[in-house]
Amino acid sequence: MQTSILGRTGATVSSIGLGTWQLGADWGDVSEKDAHAVLDAAVESGVTMFDTADAYGDGRSEQLIARYLQSRPDVSVFVATKMGRRVPQTVENYSTENFRAWSDRSRRNLGVETLDLVQLHCPPTPVYSIDRVYDDLDQLVAEGVMKNYGVSVETAEEALTAIARPNVASVQIVLNAFRLKPLDAVLPAAIDAGVGIIARVPLASGLLSGRYTADTVFAENDHRTYNRDGSHFDQGETFAGVDYATGVEAAQEFSALAAEHGLQPATAALAWLAQLPGVSTVIPGARSPEQARANAAAGEVAELGAEFHARVVELYDRRFRAAVHERW
């Protein structure tokens, strides 16, 4: 497994991490036994970075991670959590009092005194520009509530606003072969500032696995059923905001490109992301041990090279740029 420094945290993390949204909610039901099996498979495959949030199952994901790590005292994992999405999304709710309450709750859920990394969880855009927000987070670091803080964003503009702040350790952003805008300015700015980039939705909610067809049906409680139009949260979080039918067709093209390099499409998609300059870690989710192991294998893929990259960009330009590039 290749590793990287996660920006201003200074922590060394695996280039392929594990996103744990699916262990909490919104991807169908996952039992605690199955969740522990996924976490175990990831760790045994070299993953040293878990990403979670207080909103995933209203804390269930954090609690599952805590119980797993308590059962495996031999394991050392960097755990990044997020806060802010359990309340109505108003600027006023991103208050000093709420920051303290939310971080204290996550400490209890995760069973730790000090959180490794806390990220603001895609708050309203004005929040990224408020001096008091960063002063509050600096104070929580000084008190030992958290070691580091960062942000999770929906847009490139929000990312650039956060990167300009001196103590933002990391930025989490949607980045995959179907969403390339962060390559324009966000990755170069992060490199210059020493800020870590966490790439989320790396498989476009599974499209880049190449397993789906136009007729694939997802569970009713799976956001890929109920949030395709962005009616529950930002549309960019579901299939990276691209039209599903177009995404299925483009995924077949990507699968053919991966096959030319002797790779499964998901492996190629994750490896390409992890190899981008400026990307610290990539956080695919997994609902089975087999998926977790397959995802982690992408961290061992040899350099894919300029020709592979150029073909990814060409596919994006032809299929998606006009529809999504200026939206996020």
Side-chain angles (χ1 to χ4, degrees):
M1 174 68 75
Q2 297 161 14
T3 61
S4 180
I5 301 298
L6 182 55
R8 291 170 175 157
T9 71
T12 299
V13 297
S14 52
S15 62
I16 304 297
L18 179 70
T20 63
W21 182 11
Q22 77 289 348
L23 303 186
D26 298 316
W27 294 78
D29 297 326
V30 178
S31 70
E32 180 156 350
K33 178 181 177 182
D34 289 345
H36 277 231
V38 167
L39 296 170
D40 212 36
V43 166
E44 295 303 322
S45 299
V47 168
T48 61
M49 160 74 172
F50 292 165
D51 179 83
T52 187
D54 62 0
Y56 296 165
D58 197 28
R60 181 174 188 258
S61 178
E62 290 179 325
Q63 293 163 7
L64 286 170
I65 289 171
R67 289 195 288 271
Y68 171 73
L69 292 177
Q70 288 162 5
S71 74
R72 289 291 308 272
D74 57 312
V75 167
S76 178
V77 174
F78 186 96
V79 180
T81 193
K82 298 184 286 292
M83 65 181 183
R85 300 296 293 188
R86 297 173 55 251
V87 297
Q89 291 303 288
T90 65
V91 171
E92 292 73 22
N93 274 333
Y94 284 79
S95 65
T96 304
E97 295 75 19
N98 279 343
F99 286 163
R100 187 172 298 279
W102 295 340
S103 55
D104 285 349
R105 182 176 184 267
S106 286
R107 288 197 293 170
R108 291 193 298 272
N109 283 343
L110 285 164
V112 298
E113 286 296 317
T114 304
L115 299 161
D116 290 335
L117 172 66
V118 178
Q119 303 154 97
L120 298 183
H121 197 173
C122 300
T125 299
V127 170
Y128 298 99
S129 300
I130 299 173
D131 291 341
R132 190 267 310 157
V133 165
Y134 300 96
D135 292 342
D136 288 346
L137 295 171
D138 285 336
Q139 180 61 33
L140 291 173
V141 170
E143 293 176 10
V145 172
M146 59 187 71
K147 295 178 184 176
N148 308 278
Y149 65 82
V151 296
S152 183
V153 304
E154 298 290 4
T155 71
E157 288 72 21
E158 291 169 347
L160 293 170
T161 298
I163 287 169
R165 294 286 176 161
N167 295 325
V168 168
S170 63
V171 169
Q172 183 176 143
I173 191 167
V174 176
L175 176 57
N176 59 58
F178 295 168
R179 281 277 295 273
L180 297 189
K181 188 174 182 178
L183 274 62
D184 293 351
V186 173
L187 295 190
I191 292 170
D192 288 345
V195 170
I197 292 291
I198 301 171
R200 77 169 183 278
V201 197
L203 297 176
S205 303
L207 275 175
L208 282 159
S209 70
R211 296 186 292 110
Y212 302 151
T213 71
D215 299 321
T216 299
V217 176
F218 301 94
E220 288 188 14
N221 62 345
D222 189 316
H223 73 103
R224 293 171 293 183
T225 295
Y226 66 76
N227 193 58
R228 291 191 189 191
D229 61 355
S231 59
H232 287 73
F233 44 83
D234 192 276
Q235 189 177 7
E237 301 286 347
T238 301
F239 299 124
V242 307
D243 173 73
Y244 178 73
T246 303
V248 168
E249 293 175 359
Q252 297 308 309
E253 292 189 56
F254 186 88
S255 295
L257 172 60
E260 291 177 24
H261 289 74
L263 297 171
Q264 293 296 313
T267 305
L270 296 173
W272 169 76
L273 266 182
Q275 292 171 15
L276 287 174
V279 171
S280 302
T281 188
V282 182
I283 51 169
R287 293 191 59 191
S288 71
E290 293 75 21
Q291 281 184 335
R293 285 189 283 267
N295 290 344
E300 302 175 5
V301 172
E303 189 70 30
L304 289 170
E307 186 266 344
F308 187 99
H309 180 79
R311 290 179 63 181
V312 171
V313 173
E314 188 280 329
L315 175 61
Y316 173 79
D317 288 345
R318 177 164 43 86
R319 289 281 192 175
F320 301 116
R321 178 177 287 271
V324 305
H325 200 73
E326 297 310 315
R327 292 187 63 188
W328 290 283

